[in-house]
Amino acid sequence: MSTQAVEIQVMGRILRVNCPTGQEDALREAAKDFDQRLKDLSERTNISNIEQLLMFTGLNICNELHSERKEQQGNDSNLSNRISELAESLDKALQNQPKR
């Protein structure tokens, strides 16, 4: 997989990051989102220490990711149960069909 250097800006700092070819726009959007989260947290909490902002923003993102994964697992389980129920219903319906 080839990579390409992409410039992003976070907290006013320009960073050059290697990125898989074709994922440049996604990286720029992620950097933009991360930068906005840092600014929002700084404004809400008046934290000016960059390390603290990075730590708390990273923890918030990990918490969101954990919650999303947990929700997705529940959705996957529900979907799997529904599929099983449908398969059982189809089996019963096919068993009740007159033989030809």
Coordinates of all heavy atoms in Angstrom, one line a residue:
M1 N 0.8 -1.2 0.0 CA 0.0 0.0 0.0 C 0.9 1.2 0.0 O 1.8 1.4 0.8 CB -0.9 0.0 1.2 CG -1.8 1.2 1.3 SD -2.8 1.3 2.8 CE -3.8 -0.2 2.7
S2 N 0.7 2.1 -0.9 CA 1.5 3.3 -1.0 C 0.9 4.4 -0.1 O -0.3 4.4 0.2 CB 1.6 3.8 -2.5 OG 0.3 4.2 -2.9
T3 N 1.8 5.3 0.3 CA 1.3 6.4 1.2 C 1.7 7.7 0.5 O 2.6 7.8 -0.4 CB 2.0 6.3 2.6 OG1 3.4 6.4 2.5 CG2 1.6 5.0 3.3
Q4 N 1.1 8.8 1.1 CA 1.4 10.1 0.6 C 1.4 11.0 1.8 O 0.6 10.9 2.7 CB 0.3 10.5 -0.4 CG 0.4 11.9 -0.9 CD -0.7 12.2 -1.9 OE1 -1.1 11.3 -2.6 NE2 -1.1 13.4 -2.0
A5 N 2.4 12.0 1.8 CA 2.4 13.0 2.9 C 1.3 14.0 2.7 O 1.1 14.5 1.6 CB 3.8 13.7 2.9
V6 N 0.6 14.2 3.8 CA -0.5 15.2 3.8 C -0.3 16.2 4.9 O 0.1 15.8 6.0 CB -1.9 14.4 4.0 CG1 -3.0 15.4 4.1 CG2 -2.1 13.4 2.9
E7 N -0.5 17.4 4.6 CA -0.4 18.5 5.6 C -1.8 18.7 6.3 O -2.8 18.8 5.6 CB 0.0 19.8 5.0 CG 1.5 19.8 4.7 CD 2.0 21.2 4.4 OE1 1.2 22.2 4.4 OE2 3.2 21.3 4.1
I8 N -1.8 18.6 7.6 CA -3.0 18.9 8.4 C -2.6 20.0 9.4 O -1.4 20.2 9.7 CB -3.5 17.6 9.1 CG1 -2.5 17.0 10.1 CG2 -4.0 16.6 8.1 CD1 -3.0 15.9 10.9
Q9 N -3.6 20.6 10.0 CA -3.4 21.6 11.0 C -4.2 21.3 12.3 O -5.4 21.0 12.2 CB -3.8 23.0 10.5 CG -3.5 24.1 11.4 CD -3.7 25.5 10.8 OE1 -3.9 25.6 9.6 NE2 -3.7 26.5 11.6
V10 N -3.5 21.2 13.4 CA -4.1 21.0 14.7 C -3.6 22.0 15.7 O -2.4 22.1 15.9 CB -3.8 19.5 15.2 CG1 -4.4 19.3 16.5 CG2 -4.3 18.5 14.2
M11 N -4.5 22.7 16.3 CA -4.1 23.7 17.3 C -3.1 24.7 16.7 O -2.2 25.1 17.4 CB -3.6 23.1 18.6 CG -4.7 22.3 19.3 SD -6.1 23.2 19.9 CE -5.4 24.3 21.2
G12 N -3.3 25.1 15.4 CA -2.4 26.1 14.8 C -1.1 25.6 14.4 O -0.3 26.3 13.8
R13 N -0.9 24.3 14.6 CA 0.4 23.7 14.1 C 0.2 22.8 12.9 O -0.8 22.1 12.8 CB 0.9 22.8 15.2 CG 1.2 23.5 16.5 CD 1.8 22.6 17.6 NE 2.0 23.4 18.8 CZ 2.2 22.9 20.0 NH1 2.2 21.5 20.1 NH2 2.4 23.6 21.0
I14 N 1.1 23.0 11.9 CA 1.0 22.3 10.7 C 1.8 21.0 10.9 O 3.0 21.0 11.3 CB 1.7 23.1 9.5 CG1 1.0 24.4 9.3 CG2 1.7 22.3 8.2 CD1 -0.4 24.4 8.8
L15 N 1.2 19.9 10.5 CA 1.8 18.6 10.6 C 1.8 17.9 9.3 O 0.8 18.0 8.6 CB 1.1 17.7 11.7 CG 0.9 18.3 13.1 CD1 -0.1 17.4 13.8 CD2 2.3 18.3 13.8
R16 N 2.9 17.2 8.9 CA 2.9 16.4 7.7 C 2.8 15.0 8.2 O 3.6 14.5 9.0 CB 4.2 16.6 7.0 CG 4.3 18.0 6.3 CD 5.5 18.1 5.4 NE 5.7 17.2 4.4 CZ 5.1 17.3 3.2 NH1 4.3 18.3 2.9 NH2 5.3 16.4 2.2
V17 N 1.8 14.3 7.7 CA 1.4 12.9 8.1 C 1.4 12.0 6.9 O 0.8 12.4 5.9 CB 0.0 12.9 8.8 CG1 -0.3 11.6 9.3 CG2 0.0 13.9 10.0
N18 N 2.0 10.9 7.0 CA 1.9 9.9 5.9 C 0.5 9.3 6.0 O 0.0 8.9 7.1 CB 3.0 8.8 6.0 CG 4.3 9.3 5.5 OD1 4.4 10.2 4.7 ND2 5.4 8.7 6.1
C19 N -0.1 9.1 4.8 CA -1.5 8.7 4.7 C -1.6 7.7 3.6 O -1.0 8.0 2.5 CB -2.4 9.9 4.5 SG -4.1 9.5 4.3
P20 N -2.4 6.6 3.7 CA -2.6 5.7 2.6 C -3.2 6.5 1.4 O -4.1 7.3 1.6 CB -3.5 4.7 3.1 CG -3.4 4.7 4.6 CD -3.0 6.1 4.9
T21 N -2.7 6.2 0.2 CA -3.2 6.9 -1.0 C -4.7 6.7 -1.1 O -5.2 5.5 -0.9 CB -2.5 6.4 -2.2 OG1 -1.1 6.6 -2.1 CG2 -3.0 7.1 -3.5
G22 N -5.5 7.7 -1.3 CA -6.9 7.6 -1.5 C -7.6 8.0 -0.2 O -8.9 8.2 -0.2
Q23 N -6.9 8.1 0.9 CA -7.5 8.4 2.2 C -7.2 9.8 2.7 O -7.5 10.2 3.8 CB -7.0 7.4 3.3 CG -7.4 6.0 3.0 CD -8.9 5.8 3.1 OE1 -9.6 6.3 4.0 NE2 -9.5 5.1 2.1
E24 N -6.7 10.6 1.8 CA -6.3 12.0 2.2 C -7.4 12.8 2.7 O -7.3 13.5 3.7 CB -5.6 12.7 1.0 CG -4.3 12.0 0.5 CD -4.6 11.0 -0.6 OE1 -5.8 10.7 -0.9 OE2 -3.7 10.4 -1.1
D25 N -8.6 12.8 2.0 CA -9.7 13.6 2.4 C -10.2 13.2 3.8 O -10.6 14.0 4.6 CB -10.8 13.6 1.4 CG -10.5 14.3 0.1 OD1 -9.6 15.2 0.2 OD2 -11.1 14.1 -0.9
A26 N -10.2 11.9 4.0 CA -10.7 11.3 5.3 C -9.8 11.8 6.4 O -10.2 12.2 7.5 CB -10.8 9.8 5.3
L27 N -8.5 11.8 6.2 CA -7.5 12.3 7.2 C -7.7 13.8 7.5 O -7.7 14.2 8.6 CB -6.1 12.0 6.7 CG -5.0 12.6 7.6 CD1 -5.0 12.0 9.0 CD2 -3.6 12.4 7.0
R28 N -7.9 14.5 6.4 CA -8.1 16.0 6.6 C -9.4 16.2 7.4 O -9.4 17.1 8.3 CB -8.2 16.7 5.3 CG -6.9 16.8 4.6 CD -7.0 17.6 3.3 NE -5.7 17.6 2.5 CZ -5.5 16.8 1.5 NH1 -6.5 16.0 1.0 NH2 -4.4 16.8 0.9
E29 N -10.5 15.5 7.1 CA -11.7 15.6 7.9 C -11.5 15.2 9.3 O -12.0 15.9 10.2 CB -12.8 14.8 7.2 CG -13.4 15.5 6.0 CD -14.0 16.8 6.2 OE1 -14.8 17.0 7.2 OE2 -13.7 17.7 5.4
A30 N -10.8 14.1 9.6 CA -10.5 13.7 10.9 C -9.7 14.7 11.7 O -10.0 15.0 12.9 CB -9.8 12.4 10.9
A31 N -8.7 15.3 11.0 CA -7.9 16.3 11.7 C -8.7 17.6 12.0 O -8.6 18.2 13.1 CB -6.7 16.7 10.8
K32 N -9.6 17.9 11.1 CA -10.5 19.1 11.3 C -11.4 18.8 12.5 O -11.6 19.7 13.3 CB -11.3 19.3 10.0 CG -12.1 20.6 10.0 CD -12.8 20.7 8.6 CE -13.8 21.9 8.6 NZ -14.5 22.0 7.3
D33 N -12.0 17.6 12.6 CA -12.8 17.3 13.7 C -12.1 17.3 15.0 O -12.5 17.9 16.0 CB -13.4 15.9 13.4 CG -14.3 15.4 14.6 OD1 -15.1 16.2 15.1 OD2 -14.3 14.2 14.9
F34 N -10.9 16.7 15.0 CA -10.0 16.7 16.2 C -9.7 18.1 16.6 O -9.8 18.4 17.8 CB -8.8 15.9 15.9 CG -7.9 15.7 17.1 CD1 -8.4 15.0 18.2 CD2 -6.6 16.1 17.1 CE1 -7.6 14.8 19.3 CE2 -5.8 15.9 18.2 CZ -6.3 15.2 19.3
D35 N -9.3 19.0 15.7 CA -9.0 20.3 16.0 C -10.1 21.1 16.6 O -10.0 21.8 17.6 CB -8.5 21.0 14.7 CG -7.9 22.4 15.0 OD1 -7.0 22.5 15.9 OD2 -8.4 23.4 14.4
Q36 N -11.3 20.8 16.1 CA -12.5 21.5 16.6 C -12.8 21.0 18.0 O -13.2 21.8 18.9 CB -13.7 21.3 15.7 CG -14.9 22.1 16.0 CD -14.7 23.6 16.0 OE1 -14.2 24.1 15.0 NE2 -15.0 24.3 17.1
R37 N -12.7 19.7 18.2 CA -12.9 19.2 19.6 C -12.0 19.8 20.6 O -12.4 20.1 21.7 CB -12.8 17.6 19.6 CG -13.9 16.9 18.9 CD -13.5 15.4 18.7 NE -14.5 14.7 18.0 CZ -15.4 13.8 18.6 NH1 -15.3 13.7 19.9 NH2 -16.2 13.2 17.9
L38 N -10.7 19.9 20.2 CA -9.7 20.6 21.1 C -10.1 22.0 21.4 O -10.1 22.4 22.6 CB -8.3 20.5 20.4 CG -7.6 19.2 20.4 CD1 -6.5 19.2 19.4 CD2 -7.2 18.7 21.8
K39 N -10.5 22.7 20.4 CA -10.9 24.1 20.6 C -12.2 24.2 21.5 O -12.3 25.0 22.4 CB -11.2 24.8 19.3 CG -9.9 25.1 18.5 CD -10.2 25.7 17.1 CE -9.0 25.9 16.3 NZ -9.2 26.3 15.0
D40 N -13.2 23.3 21.2 CA -14.4 23.3 22.0 C -14.1 23.0 23.5 O -14.6 23.7 24.4 CB -15.4 22.3 21.5 CG -16.0 22.7 20.1 OD1 -15.8 23.9 19.7 OD2 -16.6 21.8 19.5
L41 N -13.3 22.0 23.7 CA -12.9 21.6 25.1 C -12.2 22.8 25.8 O -12.5 23.1 26.9 CB -12.1 20.3 25.1 CG -11.8 19.8 26.5 CD1 -13.1 19.4 27.3 CD2 -10.8 18.6 26.4
S42 N -11.3 23.4 25.1 CA -10.5 24.5 25.6 C -11.5 25.6 26.1 O -11.4 26.2 27.1 CB -9.5 25.0 24.6 OG -8.8 26.1 25.1
E43 N -12.5 25.9 25.2 CA -13.4 27.0 25.5 C -14.3 26.6 26.7 O -14.6 27.5 27.5 CB -14.2 27.3 24.3 CG -13.4 28.0 23.2 CD -14.2 28.2 21.9 OE1 -15.4 27.8 21.8 OE2 -13.6 28.6 20.9
R44 N -14.8 25.4 26.7 CA -15.7 24.9 27.7 C -15.1 24.9 29.1 O -15.7 25.1 30.1 CB -16.3 23.6 27.4 CG -17.4 23.6 26.5 CD -18.2 22.2 26.5 NE -17.4 21.1 26.7 CZ -16.9 20.3 25.7 NH1 -17.0 20.6 24.4 NH2 -16.2 19.2 26.0
T45 N -13.8 24.5 29.1 CA -13.1 24.2 30.4 C -12.1 25.2 30.8 O -11.6 25.2 31.9 CB -12.4 22.8 30.4 OG1 -11.4 22.9 29.4 CG2 -13.4 21.7 30.1
N46 N -11.7 26.1 29.9 CA -10.6 27.1 30.1 C -9.3 26.4 30.3 O -8.4 27.0 30.9 CB -11.0 28.0 31.2 CG -12.1 29.0 30.9 OD1 -12.2 29.4 29.8 ND2 -12.9 29.2 31.9
I47 N -9.1 25.1 29.9 CA -7.9 24.5 30.0 C -7.0 25.0 28.8 O -7.4 25.0 27.7 CB -8.0 22.9 29.8 CG1 -8.8 22.4 31.0 CG2 -6.6 22.3 29.7 CD1 -9.1 20.9 30.8
S48 N -5.8 25.5 29.1 CA -4.9 26.0 28.1 C -3.7 25.1 27.9 O -3.0 25.3 26.9 CB -4.5 27.4 28.5 OG -3.8 27.4 29.7
N49 N -3.5 24.2 28.8 CA -2.3 23.3 28.7 C -2.6 22.3 27.6 O -3.6 21.5 27.6 CB -2.1 22.5 30.0 CG -1.0 21.6 30.0 OD1 -0.9 20.7 29.2 ND2 0.0 21.8 30.9
I50 N -1.8 22.3 26.5 CA -2.0 21.5 25.3 C -2.0 20.0 25.7 O -2.8 19.2 25.2 CB -0.8 21.7 24.3 CG1 -1.0 23.2 23.7 CG2 -0.9 20.7 23.2 CD1 -2.1 23.3 22.8
E51 N -1.1 19.6 26.6 CA -1.1 18.1 27.0 C -2.4 17.7 27.6 O -2.9 16.6 27.3 CB 0.1 17.9 27.9 CG 1.4 17.9 27.2 CD 2.6 17.6 28.1 OE1 2.4 17.3 29.3 OE2 3.8 17.7 27.7
Q52 N -2.9 18.5 28.5 CA -4.2 18.2 29.1 C -5.3 18.2 28.1 O -6.2 17.3 28.1 CB -4.5 19.2 30.2 CG -3.7 19.0 31.5 CD -4.1 20.0 32.6 OE1 -4.5 21.1 32.3 NE2 -4.0 19.6 33.8
L53 N -5.3 19.2 27.2 CA -6.3 19.2 26.2 C -6.3 17.9 25.3 O -7.3 17.3 25.0 CB -6.2 20.4 25.3 CG -6.7 21.7 25.8 CD1 -6.3 22.9 24.9 CD2 -8.2 21.7 25.9
L54 N -5.1 17.5 24.9 CA -4.9 16.3 24.1 C -5.4 15.1 24.9 O -6.1 14.2 24.3 CB -3.5 16.2 23.6 CG -3.0 17.2 22.6 CD1 -1.4 17.1 22.5 CD2 -3.6 17.0 21.3
M55 N -5.0 15.0 26.1 CA -5.4 13.9 26.9 C -6.9 13.8 27.1 O -7.5 12.7 26.9 CB -4.7 14.0 28.3 CG -5.1 12.9 29.3 SD -3.9 11.6 29.6 CE -2.4 12.5 29.7
F56 N -7.5 14.9 27.5 CA -9.0 14.8 27.7 C -9.8 14.6 26.4 O -10.7 13.9 26.4 CB -9.4 16.1 28.5 CG -9.0 16.1 29.9 CD1 -8.3 17.2 30.4 CD2 -9.3 15.1 30.8 CE1 -7.9 17.3 31.7 CE2 -8.9 15.1 32.1 CZ -8.2 16.2 32.6
T57 N -9.3 15.2 25.4 CA -10.0 15.1 24.1 C -9.8 13.6 23.6 O -10.8 13.0 23.1 CB -9.4 16.0 23.0 OG1 -9.6 17.4 23.5 CG2 -10.1 15.9 21.7
G58 N -8.6 13.1 23.7 CA -8.4 11.7 23.4 C -9.3 10.7 24.2 O -9.9 9.8 23.7
L59 N -9.4 11.0 25.5 CA -10.3 10.2 26.4 C -11.7 10.3 26.0 O -12.5 9.3 26.0 CB -10.1 10.6 27.8 CG -8.8 10.1 28.5 CD1 -8.7 10.8 29.9 CD2 -8.8 8.6 28.7
N60 N -12.2 11.5 25.6 CA -13.6 11.7 25.2 C -13.8 10.9 23.9 O -14.9 10.3 23.8 CB -13.9 13.2 25.0 CG -14.0 14.0 26.3 OD1 -14.3 13.4 27.3 ND2 -13.8 15.3 26.2
I61 N -12.9 11.0 23.0 CA -13.1 10.3 21.7 C -13.1 8.8 22.0 O -14.0 8.0 21.4 CB -12.0 10.6 20.7 CG1 -12.1 12.1 20.3 CG2 -12.0 9.7 19.5 CD1 -11.0 12.7 19.5
C62 N -12.2 8.3 22.8 CA -12.2 6.8 23.2 C -13.5 6.4 23.8 O -14.0 5.3 23.6 CB -11.0 6.5 24.1 SG -9.5 6.5 23.2
N63 N -14.0 7.3 24.7 CA -15.3 7.0 25.4 C -16.4 6.9 24.3 O -17.3 6.0 24.4 CB -15.6 8.0 26.4 CG -16.9 7.7 27.2 OD1 -17.0 6.6 27.7 ND2 -17.8 8.7 27.3
E64 N -16.5 7.8 23.4 CA -17.5 7.8 22.3 C -17.4 6.5 21.5 O -18.4 5.9 21.2 CB -17.3 9.0 21.4 CG -17.8 10.3 22.0 CD -17.5 11.5 21.1 OE1 -17.5 11.3 19.9 OE2 -17.4 12.6 21.6
L65 N -16.1 6.2 21.2 CA -15.9 5.0 20.4 C -16.3 3.7 21.1 O -17.0 2.8 20.6 CB -14.4 4.9 20.0 CG -14.0 3.6 19.2 CD1 -14.7 3.6 17.9 CD2 -12.5 3.7 19.0
H66 N -16.0 3.7 22.4 CA -16.4 2.5 23.2 C -18.0 2.4 23.3 O -18.5 1.3 23.1 CB -15.9 2.7 24.6 CG -16.2 1.6 25.6 ND1 -15.7 0.3 25.5 CD2 -17.1 1.5 26.6 CE1 -16.2 -0.4 26.4 NE2 -17.1 0.3 27.1
S67 N -18.6 3.5 23.5 CA -20.1 3.5 23.5 C -20.7 3.1 22.2 O -21.6 2.3 22.1 CB -20.6 4.9 23.9 OG -20.2 5.3 25.1
E68 N -20.1 3.6 21.1 CA -20.6 3.2 19.7 C -20.4 1.7 19.5 O -21.3 1.1 18.9 CB -19.9 4.0 18.7 CG -20.3 5.5 18.6 CD -21.7 5.7 18.1 OE1 -22.2 4.9 17.3 OE2 -22.3 6.7 18.6
R69 N -19.2 1.2 19.9 CA -19.0 -0.2 19.7 C -20.0 -1.1 20.5 O -20.4 -2.1 20.0 CB -17.5 -0.6 20.1 CG -16.5 -0.2 19.1 CD -15.1 -0.5 19.6 NE -14.1 -0.2 18.5 CZ -12.9 -0.2 18.8 NH1 -12.4 -0.4 20.0 NH2 -12.0 0.1 17.8
K70 N -20.2 -0.6 21.7 CA -21.1 -1.4 22.6 C -22.5 -1.4 22.0 O -23.2 -2.4 22.0 CB -21.2 -0.7 24.0 CG -21.7 -1.6 25.1 CD -21.5 -0.9 26.4 CE -22.0 -1.8 27.5 NZ -21.7 -1.3 28.8
E71 N -23.0 -0.2 21.5 CA -24.3 -0.1 20.8 C -24.3 -1.0 19.6 O -25.3 -1.7 19.3 CB -24.6 1.3 20.5 CG -25.9 1.5 19.8 CD -26.2 3.0 19.5 OE1 -25.6 3.9 20.2 OE2 -27.0 3.2 18.6
Q72 N -23.2 -1.0 18.8 CA -23.2 -1.8 17.6 C -23.2 -3.3 17.9 O -23.9 -4.0 17.2 CB -21.9 -1.5 16.8 CG -21.8 -2.2 15.5 CD -22.9 -1.7 14.5 OE1 -23.3 -0.6 14.4 NE2 -23.5 -2.7 13.8
Q73 N -22.6 -3.7 19.0 CA -22.6 -5.1 19.4 C -24.1 -5.5 19.7 O -24.5 -6.6 19.4 CB -21.7 -5.4 20.6 CG -20.3 -5.4 20.2 CD -19.3 -5.5 21.4 OE1 -19.8 -5.3 22.5 NE2 -18.1 -5.8 21.2
G74 N -24.8 -4.6 20.4 CA -26.2 -4.8 20.7 C -27.0 -4.9 19.5 O -27.9 -5.8 19.3
N75 N -26.8 -4.0 18.5 CA -27.5 -4.1 17.2 C -27.2 -5.4 16.5 O -28.1 -6.0 15.9 CB -27.1 -2.9 16.4 CG -27.7 -1.6 16.9 OD1 -28.6 -1.5 17.7 ND2 -27.1 -0.5 16.5
D76 N -25.9 -5.8 16.5 CA -25.5 -7.0 15.8 C -26.2 -8.2 16.4 O -26.7 -9.1 15.7 CB -24.0 -7.2 15.8 CG -23.2 -6.2 15.0 OD1 -23.9 -5.5 14.2 OD2 -22.0 -6.2 15.1
S77 N -26.3 -8.2 17.7 CA -26.9 -9.3 18.4 C -28.4 -9.4 18.1 O -29.0 -10.4 17.8 CB -26.7 -9.2 19.9 OG -27.4 -10.2 20.6
N78 N -29.1 -8.2 18.1 CA -30.5 -8.1 17.8 C -30.8 -8.6 16.3 O -31.7 -9.3 16.1 CB -31.1 -6.7 17.9 CG -31.2 -6.3 19.4 OD1 -31.2 -7.1 20.3 ND2 -31.2 -5.0 19.6
L79 N -29.9 -8.1 15.4 CA -30.1 -8.5 14.0 C -29.9 -10.0 13.9 O -30.6 -10.7 13.2 CB -29.0 -7.8 13.2 CG -29.1 -8.0 11.7 CD1 -30.5 -7.6 11.1 CD2 -28.1 -7.2 11.0
S80 N -28.9 -10.6 14.6 CA -28.6 -12.0 14.5 C -29.8 -12.8 15.0 O -30.3 -13.8 14.5 CB -27.4 -12.4 15.3 OG -27.1 -13.7 15.3
N81 N -30.4 -12.3 16.1 CA -31.6 -13.0 16.7 C -32.8 -12.9 15.7 O -33.5 -13.9 15.5 CB -32.0 -12.3 18.0 CG -31.1 -12.7 19.1 OD1 -30.3 -13.6 19.1 ND2 -31.1 -11.8 20.2
R82 N -33.0 -11.8 15.1 CA -34.1 -11.6 14.1 C -33.9 -12.5 12.9 O -34.8 -13.1 12.4 CB -34.1 -10.2 13.6 CG -34.4 -9.1 14.6 CD -35.9 -8.9 14.9 NE -36.8 -8.9 13.8 CZ -37.3 -7.9 13.2 NH1 -37.1 -6.7 13.6 NH2 -38.1 -8.0 12.2
I83 N -32.6 -12.7 12.5 CA -32.4 -13.6 11.3 C -32.7 -15.0 11.7 O -33.3 -15.8 10.9 CB -30.9 -13.4 10.9 CG1 -30.7 -12.0 10.2 CG2 -30.5 -14.5 9.9 CD1 -29.3 -11.7 9.9
S84 N -32.3 -15.4 12.9 CA -32.6 -16.7 13.4 C -34.1 -17.0 13.5 O -34.6 -18.1 13.1 CB -31.9 -17.0 14.8 OG -30.5 -17.0 14.7
E85 N -34.8 -16.0 14.0 CA -36.3 -16.1 14.1 C -36.9 -16.3 12.7 O -37.8 -17.1 12.5 CB -36.9 -14.9 14.8 CG -36.6 -14.9 16.3 CD -37.0 -13.6 16.9 OE1 -37.5 -12.7 16.2 OE2 -36.7 -13.4 18.1
L86 N -36.4 -15.5 11.7 CA -36.9 -15.6 10.3 C -36.6 -16.9 9.7 O -37.4 -17.5 9.0 CB -36.3 -14.4 9.5 CG -36.9 -13.1 9.7 CD1 -36.1 -12.0 9.0 CD2 -38.3 -13.0 9.2
A87 N -35.4 -17.4 10.0 CA -35.0 -18.7 9.4 C -35.9 -19.8 10.0 O -36.3 -20.7 9.3 CB -33.5 -19.0 9.8
E88 N -36.2 -19.7 11.3 CA -37.1 -20.7 11.9 C -38.5 -20.6 11.3 O -39.1 -21.6 11.0 CB -37.2 -20.5 13.4 CG -35.9 -20.9 14.2 CD -36.0 -20.6 15.7 OE1 -37.2 -20.6 16.2 OE2 -35.0 -20.4 16.3
S89 N -39.0 -19.4 11.1 CA -40.3 -19.2 10.5 C -40.3 -19.8 9.1 O -41.3 -20.4 8.7 CB -40.7 -17.7 10.5 OG -40.8 -17.2 11.8
L90 N -39.3 -19.5 8.3 CA -39.2 -20.1 7.0 C -39.2 -21.6 7.0 O -39.9 -22.3 6.2 CB -38.0 -19.5 6.2 CG -38.1 -18.1 5.7 CD1 -36.8 -17.6 5.2 CD2 -39.2 -18.0 4.7
D91 N -38.4 -22.2 7.9 CA -38.4 -23.6 8.0 C -39.7 -24.2 8.3 O -40.2 -25.2 7.7 CB -37.4 -24.1 9.1 CG -35.9 -23.9 8.6 OD1 -35.7 -23.8 7.4 OD2 -35.0 -23.9 9.5
K92 N -40.4 -23.6 9.3 CA -41.8 -24.1 9.7 C -42.7 -24.0 8.5 O -43.5 -24.9 8.2 CB -42.3 -23.3 10.9 CG -41.6 -23.7 12.2 CD -42.2 -22.8 13.3 CE -41.4 -23.1 14.6 NZ -41.9 -22.3 15.7
A93 N -42.7 -22.8 7.8 CA -43.6 -22.6 6.7 C -43.3 -23.6 5.6 O -44.2 -24.2 4.9 CB -43.4 -21.2 6.1
L94 N -42.0 -23.9 5.3 CA -41.7 -24.9 4.3 C -42.1 -26.3 4.7 O -42.5 -27.1 3.8 CB -40.2 -24.8 4.0 CG -39.7 -23.6 3.2 CD1 -38.2 -23.6 3.2 CD2 -40.3 -23.5 1.9
Q95 N -42.0 -26.6 6.0 CA -42.4 -27.9 6.5 C -43.9 -28.2 6.3 O -44.4 -29.3 6.2 CB -42.0 -28.1 7.9 CG -40.5 -28.3 8.1 CD -40.0 -28.4 9.5 OE1 -40.9 -28.3 10.4 NE2 -38.7 -28.5 9.7
N96 N -44.7 -27.1 6.4 CA -46.1 -27.2 6.3 C -46.7 -27.2 4.9 O -47.9 -27.3 4.7 CB -46.8 -26.1 7.2 CG -46.5 -26.2 8.7 OD1 -46.3 -27.3 9.1 ND2 -46.5 -25.1 9.4
Q97 N -45.8 -27.0 4.0 CA -46.2 -27.0 2.6 C -46.6 -28.5 2.1 O -45.9 -29.4 2.5 CB -45.1 -26.5 1.7 CG -44.8 -25.1 1.8 CD -46.0 -24.2 1.3 OE1 -46.5 -24.5 0.2 NE2 -46.4 -23.2 2.1
P98 N -47.7 -28.6 1.3 CA -48.0 -29.9 0.9 C -46.9 -30.5 -0.1 O -46.3 -29.7 -0.8 CB -49.3 -29.7 0.1 CG -49.4 -28.3 -0.1 CD -48.5 -27.6 0.9
K99 N -46.7 -31.7 0.0 CA -45.6 -32.4 -0.8 C -46.1 -32.5 -2.2 O -47.3 -32.9 -2.4 CB -45.2 -33.7 -0.2 CG -44.8 -33.6 1.2 CD -43.7 -34.5 1.5 CE -43.3 -34.2 3.0 NZ -42.2 -34.6 3.5
R100 N -45.3 -32.3 -3.2 CA -45.7 -32.5 -4.6 C -45.1 -33.7 -5.2 O -44.1 -34.2 -5.0 CB -45.3 -31.2 -5.3 CG -46.0 -30.0 -4.8 CD -45.6 -28.8 -5.6 NE -46.1 -27.6 -5.0 CZ -46.5 -26.6 -5.6 NH1 -46.3 -26.4 -6.9 NH2 -47.0 -25.5 -5.0

